Amino acid sequence: MTMARPALAATPDDPEVPDEALLVLYANGDPGAARALSLRLVPRALGYATRLLGGDRAEAEDVVQEAMLRLWRMAPDWRTGEARVATWVYRVVTNLCTDRRRARVRRRADALDDAPEVADGTPGAEGRLIAAQRVAALHAALAELPDRQRQAVVLRHIEGLSNPEIAAVLDLGVEAVESLTARGKRALSAILAGQRDALGWTDGGGDDG
Amino acid sequence: MTDDDLDDLFAAARADAARPSDGLMARVLADADALQPQRRAPARPRFRLSALIAALGGMGAMAGLATATVAGLWIGLAPPAAVDDLAAAFWVAGDSLDLIPDLEGMMGDADG
């Protein structure tokens, strides 16, 4: 049969069911909706929060739990069609991270000692080390950017959102987002300029180490 | 630091996918469970005899309905004299009497 199934007749695990439909299912008491929605949103929110918080994974997990808690709490009042669920979560994570950065004592993680866990599939111990060092260096450099530039750069270049989506998350115009990402990239280049050799680039650009 | 170098860094960050710990997922789902509104009654309840009886007015009404049904059956099978007389008044030697003469006109060809 080639007929499209109506969303609500599908199971919550069906990737074609929109986030919003899962949220409505959750609010209606569906037992599987929360898990399906969490499997989609938590990894993205965690990645984003980790970048915003300079690689602090534990704090990022706290932020994500809080953001998801707010999502569950407002689910019954969700107004369909007004915003995308993922956008809403990104926005809450953005605000929570900003609050945390302001609240905590400014502690600059010694980035290169604090090599984060690297996903499986990177070949070779040396390659893994270099990748970990690069990620740590990027986190440290991101931490030096102004909040808005950091948020825009991470959403654009790591999370892969479009400029209009970023504008919705940050509550800005699209032109402001373009300006923020351009300035953020220039600033990152300047901050990282002295670390090319240490991060495994031997000559030219684009060497994967 | 070139744009390509930066793109490498971003790619490394993407590859360093933040896989949520089991603990985080468990906490998130526990929150979801605690805050989830109670499941609503299904929109279409399954048919139940008790629901039908209640809709007709309860067991007292059901007793009346049963009596009327039995009485109707009995009148049909063994009509008392009074019913015979009444029927005879409308029944004239094999012909029928239209109680509502215009009925056929109103109903069209319903009588066949």
Side-chain angles (χ1 to χ4, degrees), chain A residues 26-31 35 51 57 61 65 69 72 117 119 134-135 157-158 185 189 192 196 201 205 207, chain B residues 1 5-6 8-10 12-16 19-21 24-25 27-29 31-32 35-37 39-40:
Chain A
Y26 167 77
N28 286 348
D30 185 283
R35 178 168 205 91
R51 314 300 173 208
R57 190 64 174 271
E61 290 208 350
Q65 188 185 356
L69 185 87
W72 306 135
E117 201 179 314
R134 288 180 177 181
V135 171
H157 293 290
I158 301 180
K185 276 185 81 172
S189 287
L192 292 165
R196 282 198 83 238
W201 282 291
D207 178 12
Chain B
M1 172 96 5
D5 295 344
L6 264 188
D8 278 357
L9 279 185
F10 293 138
R14 278 194 298 272
D16 176 42
R19 193 178 303 155
S21 66
L24 173 62
M25 287 304 282
R27 291 200 298 279
V28 166
L29 291 177
D31 288 342
L35 290 171
Q36 185 165 30
R39 194 176 178 79
R40 285 185 202 152

Side-chain angles (χ1 to χ4, degrees), chain A residues 99-156:
Chain A
D99 292 348
R100 294 211 171 212
R101 291 182 64 87
R102 283 182 188 148
R104 75 184 178 189
V105 182
R106 185 170 175 77
R107 58 185 161 93
R108 284 280 307 282
D110 188 353
L112 295 184
D113 282 353
D114 189 20
E117 201 179 314
V118 178
D120 293 338
T122 312
E126 196 181 341
R128 275 203 302 277
L129 184 62
I130 289 176
Q133 284 176 339
R134 288 180 177 181
V135 171
L138 178 61
H139 285 160
L142 283 168
E144 293 188 26
L145 299 184
D147 284 352
R148 281 312 202 191
Q149 285 185 25
R150 177 175 48 253
Q151 292 155 5
V153 166
V154 171
L155 287 171
R156 183 79 185 90

Side-chain angles (χ1 to χ4, degrees), chain B residues 77-106:
Chain B
L77 292 177
V83 175
D84 268 350
D85 294 346
L86 193 63
F90 294 105
W91 192 266
V92 188
D95 203 352
S96 65
L97 174 74
D98 285 336
L99 293 179
I100 307 174
D102 283 341
L103 193 60
E104 264 186 7
M106 290 161 61

Side-chain angles (χ1 to χ4, degrees), chain A residues 3-209:
Chain A
M3 270 177 55
R5 279 176 301 172
L8 292 181
T11 64
D13 294 328
D14 190 330
E16 286 180 18
V17 177
D19 294 347
E20 191 168 52
L22 287 178
L23 191 60
V24 171
L25 279 176
Y26 167 77
N28 286 348
D30 185 283
R35 178 168 205 91
L37 196 54
S38 299
L39 286 173
R40 292 181 190 182
L41 295 176
V42 168
R44 297 172 68 183
L46 183 62
Y48 179 49
T50 305
R51 314 300 173 208
L52 291 191
L53 293 169
D56 187 332
R57 190 64 174 271
E59 194 162 18
E61 290 208 350
D62 285 350
V63 162
V64 170
Q65 188 185 356
E66 173 66 23
M68 294 301 289
L69 185 87
R70 294 187 184 189
L71 182 67
W72 306 135
R73 194 172 283 149
M74 62 81 65
D77 303 321
W78 181 264
R79 281 181 288 188
T80 51
E82 199 155 287
R84 293 180 58 224
V85 177
T87 302
W88 189 92
V89 171
Y90 274 127
R91 185 183 304 161
V92 173
V93 168
T94 304
N95 294 337
L96 289 171
C97 288
T98 303
D99 292 348
R100 294 211 171 212
R101 291 182 64 87
R102 283 182 188 148
R104 75 184 178 189
V105 182
R106 185 170 175 77
R107 58 185 161 93
R108 284 280 307 282
D110 188 353
L112 295 184
D113 282 353
D114 189 20
E117 201 179 314
V118 178
D120 293 338
T122 312
E126 196 181 341
R128 275 203 302 277
L129 184 62
I130 289 176
Q133 284 176 339
R134 288 180 177 181
V135 171
L138 178 61
H139 285 160
L142 283 168
E144 293 188 26
L145 299 184
D147 284 352
R148 281 312 202 191
Q149 285 185 25
R150 177 175 48 253
Q151 292 155 5
V153 166
V154 171
L155 287 171
R156 183 79 185 90
H157 293 290
I158 301 180
E159 298 303 311
L161 268 61
S162 68
N163 284 338
E165 286 174 314
I166 298 169
V169 171
L170 300 182
D171 211 9
L172 294 170
V174 173
E175 283 180 15
V177 170
E178 288 168 357
S179 162
L180 281 171
T181 49
R183 277 184 286 151
K185 276 185 81 172
R186 276 202 301 276
L188 280 180
S189 287
I191 294 166
L192 292 165
Q195 301 185 37
R196 282 198 83 238
D197 291 344
L199 294 176
W201 282 291
T202 48
D203 50 26
D207 178 12
D208 263 340

